[in-house]
Amino acid sequence: MARMSLVRGLALVAMLAPGVNVMAANPDPDWPCIQRKVPQLSLGQIWTGPDLPSAAKDWSKDPTISALVEEVAARRTPIAEAQKKIRDFAASLPAEQLASKMAMLVQGMFDHLDAERSQVISGISRYAHKQLQMAAALRKEASDVDALRARPDADPGEIDRRTEQLKFATRIFNERVQSLTYVCEVPTIIEQRLYQLSKVVSETLAAKK
């Protein structure tokens, strides 16, 4: 019985701990992160330079801009390297093209990384919903095993088998909780990257004035 209580306790703690933070910060029951859920960013949150012209929205039609957006947006590219790519690109532009091309780059980085961030947020919500289902299944199985233990005619072998299965499922559940803690940081990481990249563009434009 002591082993069963420990297993059930681990499952309940893992389920409820993130839930407390969710209720404190977010009304969305499928959002498990301490960080507030913001499904989409606004350009004004990350761009401190001049207003972007409407033509900047055509960035995807420019092969050079599109390729650069892909390179600097990729998190596998160290931020310092990505910033250098932006500076090198700016340095390669004729003076009369600098403002328009850099505006397109900012718009492209925003569109690309905001879409990626939204996909991550949707994935987190799906992941958390699956966790709630797993937690409910763990509670039910723990209750069922407790009931089995209470039966005088229970098969000890069956009790041991189901207890081990429950312990394994609980361990997987707790590992997923730990993974979720790290995943919850990803939207913020993307937002910070977008800001850092956009800041380089702003500084480059300011230096050319």
Side-chain angles (χ1 to χ4, degrees):
M1 185 67 73
R3 285 195 305 165
M4 233 14 268
S5 297
L6 176 59
V7 170
R8 181 162 31 173
L10 288 173
L12 292 175
V13 168
M15 177 191 68
L16 292 176
V20 172
N21 294 324
V22 170
M23 295 306 294
N26 298 287
D28 186 344
D30 280 347
W31 185 247
C33 304
I34 297 175
Q35 300 86 341
R36 186 168 62 92
K37 182 179 181 180
V38 180
Q40 290 184 304
L41 299 174
S42 67
L43 186 61
Q45 289 176 265
I46 58 93
W47 175 241
T48 58
D51 292 342
L52 301 184
S54 58
K57 294 181 178 172
D58 292 331
W59 65 270
S60 61
K61 298 177 182 178
D62 186 315
T64 302
I65 297 290
S66 295
L68 183 57
V69 166
E70 290 286 343
E71 289 177 13
V72 301
R75 277 177 282 146
R76 65 178 178 273
T77 304
I79 189 65
E81 181 181 333
Q83 290 171 325
K84 183 178 184 302
K85 287 179 181 291
I86 291 173
R87 294 190 188 98
D88 290 346
F89 174 68
S92 73
L93 294 171
E96 66 273 14
Q97 294 184 17
L98 181 64
S100 60
K101 293 290 188 180
M102 297 304 269
M104 293 174 72
L105 177 59
V106 169
Q107 187 69 59
M109 293 188 302
F110 176 81
D111 291 348
H112 183 99
L113 286 170
D114 187 46
E116 179 183 337
R117 183 179 173 279
S118 294
Q119 291 175 352
V120 170
I121 287 174
S122 295
I124 289 173
S125 293
R126 292 192 299 270
Y127 192 100
H129 187 68
K130 177 66 174 178
Q131 283 293 92
L132 291 174
Q133 294 176 329
M134 290 179 66
L138 282 172
R139 290 198 309 272
K140 182 180 184 303
E141 180 62 11
S143 177
D144 290 348
V145 172
D146 277 348
L148 180 63
R149 283 177 174 276
R151 288 171 43 188
D153 60 341
D155 179 359
E158 174 72 4
I159 293 175
D160 289 344
R161 182 183 66 81
R162 292 182 63 175
T163 297
E164 289 304 311
Q165 288 178 342
L166 182 56
K167 288 171 66 177
F168 178 77
T170 301
R171 185 167 67 252
I172 296 298
F173 178 88
N174 288 335
E175 288 174 356
R176 283 174 58 90
V177 169
Q178 288 298 317
S179 297
L180 188 57
T181 300
Y182 297 114
V183 172
C184 281
E185 297 288 341
V186 175
T188 300
I189 291 171
I190 294 174
E191 184 176 347
Q192 290 171 343
R193 184 179 188 88
L194 180 55
Y195 175 77
Q196 291 172 311
L197 296 176
S198 299
K199 185 179 179 182
V200 171
V201 176
S202 179
E203 291 172 346
T204 300
L205 291 175
K208 295 294 183 178
K209 289 184 178 179

